[in-house]
Amino acid sequence: MNQAETQKLRKGMEELGTQELRNRVTNRHRLAGFLPGIPAFLIRTNQAEAHKRKKSFSEFLSFGLALFGLRISALLLLLAGCATAPTGSTLQRFEFQSPHMGTLFAITLYAPDSAAATNAAQAAFQRIAALDRMMTDYDPDSELMRLSRSPVGQPISVSPDLLAVLARSQQFAALSDGAFDVTIGPAVRLWRRARRTGELPAAAALQKASASVGWQHLHLDTARHTATLLAPNMQLDLGGIAKGYAADAALITLRAAGLPRALVAASGDLAIGEAPPNTHGWRVGIGVPDTTDTQLSRQLLLTNAAVSTSGDTEQFVEIAGRRYSHILDPHTGLGLTNRIQVSVIGRHTTDTDALATTLCVLGAERGLKLIEQVPHTAALVILQRGGQWEVLTSRRLPNITE
Ligand code: ADP
Ligand code: MG
């Protein structure tokens, strides 16, 4: 990215919203809204593809999902501003923000008027809040927590959203040989404590936790809509996938309200809908923040797509001079110590969220191999080797960048 490009991108970010949102969102993604005249596309669906996609979207919906994080029930709706849309269109741009799942969700959409925009955004935030209540592990009464406490071997009925998220999680667990694992909860709790105390978890505690971690200990029956825990003291943790699911769900809500030209951002996860009026897509920058090094960053123009970035740039604990990520290796129960940041681009944010976390655990080589097996998915991996940042991409990524 040259300097002019960077400046343009910054200007776009100015249009996006408040400083706080910018910090959170753009720490991992430079989101520039739209800049007209950019030729590159990620997944620009033609008519036939659009039809297929519609089908897969509704299939996806018929499952359902949700979350971890702080439980913030108050709905904070902020009309951050609007601008007149480019000539030839009567749509205006609106921006909204609301805290959920321990982060700030931001919606940017195009609508004919303020009432339509506000109603749709409100419905989308309500959907996210409901998923948050269901999937948080901070509230002992959430559906996720009740399931986590269920007796070993007893099938428990679960709601369509929770079942959808768990089913997708188990697919990624199988695909990654357990690198992604939502039964990681007991180990996550030890690492949260380590963050507070500044001391590594004791070996005995880690060993005890490891007996309750393992994706094979979770059995789902999608026909009967039940989940069964097969080991004692299990704790499910959807921190690696729920935000993505909620972002997808919010976009579906906006679409149902007749506003498909929208983008939902939840920290490192973006759910991207139809292009803004008179443009070819939403412009998204991925890579290391605040660098002008074109080797480390890519700019994408996206429609009907998803982007997620994971890494230890924001959440980590430093103990005895060693930096441990909030992403854990389920096979050891330890926080990752390799410095890595992964961006995954795909169709659904549920998938890209889980895959970005997965690739952090697998590392660049195994991770990129996995990405090549997942259709409609690409990845950009930035890792530190010998004090230097290196960038590696999947085969498909160069074709969708400029
Ligand atoms: P963020 O939530 O910061 O965007 P991620 O999407 O990578 O980051 O999710 C990290 C969260 O996922 C952790 O805080 C924890 O709750 C959970 N987690 C950690 N390690 C794993 C793992 N190996 N598999 C699945 N979930 C994980
Ligand atoms: Mg994730």
Side-chain angles (χ1 to χ4, degrees), residues 53-132:
R53 188 181 140 67
K54 215 169 166 185
K55 188 161 166 268
S56 76
F57 228 88
S58 56
E59 279 163 5
F60 178 76
L61 235 184
S62 73
F63 288 111
L65 156 51
L67 172 31
F68 86 116
L70 300 177
R71 185 180 161 188
I72 302 170
S73 53
L75 179 75
L76 178 76
L77 200 62
L78 253 176
L79 182 59
C82 63
T84 310
T87 348
S89 164
T90 54
L91 295 177
Q92 292 176 296
R93 178 181 172 120
F94 296 86
E95 295 173 5
F96 304 85
Q97 302 162 32
S98 180
H100 301 279
M101 299 184 166
T103 191
L104 199 60
F105 275 72
I107 293 175
T108 305
L109 56 78
Y110 287 82
D113 56 61
S114 162
T118 307
N119 288 340
Q122 207 148 13
F125 286 136
Q126 271 164 10
R127 174 85 170 111
I128 294 166
L131 293 172
D132 192 355

Side-chain angles (χ1 to χ4, degrees), residues 344-390:
V344 174
I345 301 117
R347 287 191 166 179
H348 302 298
T349 316
T350 308
D351 298 352
T352 56
D353 187 5
L355 282 169
T357 308
T358 307
L359 263 63
C360 288
V361 178
L362 289 178
E365 202 182 322
R366 286 172 67 203
L368 288 170
K369 234 182 235 166
L370 181 142
I371 282 292
E372 305 294 3
Q373 298 167 26
V374 184
H376 311 295
T377 308
L380 179 133
V381 179
I382 299 168
L383 68 168
Q384 215 176 33
R385 269 206 276 240
Q388 293 285 317
W389 287 103
E390 270 178 47

Side-chain angles (χ1 to χ4, degrees), residues 166-242:
L166 291 174
R168 210 74 185 117
S169 299
Q170 292 296 77
Q171 284 176 357
F172 287 120
L175 191 69
S176 67
D177 197 18
F180 187 81
D181 188 341
V182 293
T183 70
I184 194 87
V188 169
R189 299 208 150 189
L190 291 179
W191 281 90
R192 279 190 196 150
R193 194 179 310 149
R195 247 169 102 166
R196 281 198 305 273
T197 61
E199 280 175 37
L200 288 179
L206 275 170
Q207 200 172 353
K208 182 164 180 265
S210 73
S212 307
V213 175
W215 66 278
Q216 287 98 340
H217 300 326
L218 170 65
H219 176 74
L220 301 179
D221 186 331
T222 46
R224 292 196 166 83
H225 302 273
T226 62
T228 310
L229 304 184
L230 303 173
N233 305 316
M234 285 178 69
Q235 174 61 61
L236 303 172
D237 179 326
L238 299 177
I241 188 168

Side-chain angles (χ1 to χ4, degrees), residues 3-38:
Q3 252 186 346
E5 289 276 321
T6 309
Q7 264 176 3
K8 257 202 222 166
L9 212 56
R10 290 244 160 81
K11 187 166 171 290
M13 278 157 41
E14 294 303 321
E15 289 161 10
L16 188 72
T18 67
Q19 183 66 39
E20 190 192 0
L21 170 65
R22 236 182 356 260
N23 286 345
R24 283 173 182 258
V25 173
T26 59
N27 250 346
R28 289 189 266 182
H29 290 139
R30 294 165 175 209
L31 176 61
F34 75 92
L35 293 173
I38 309 299

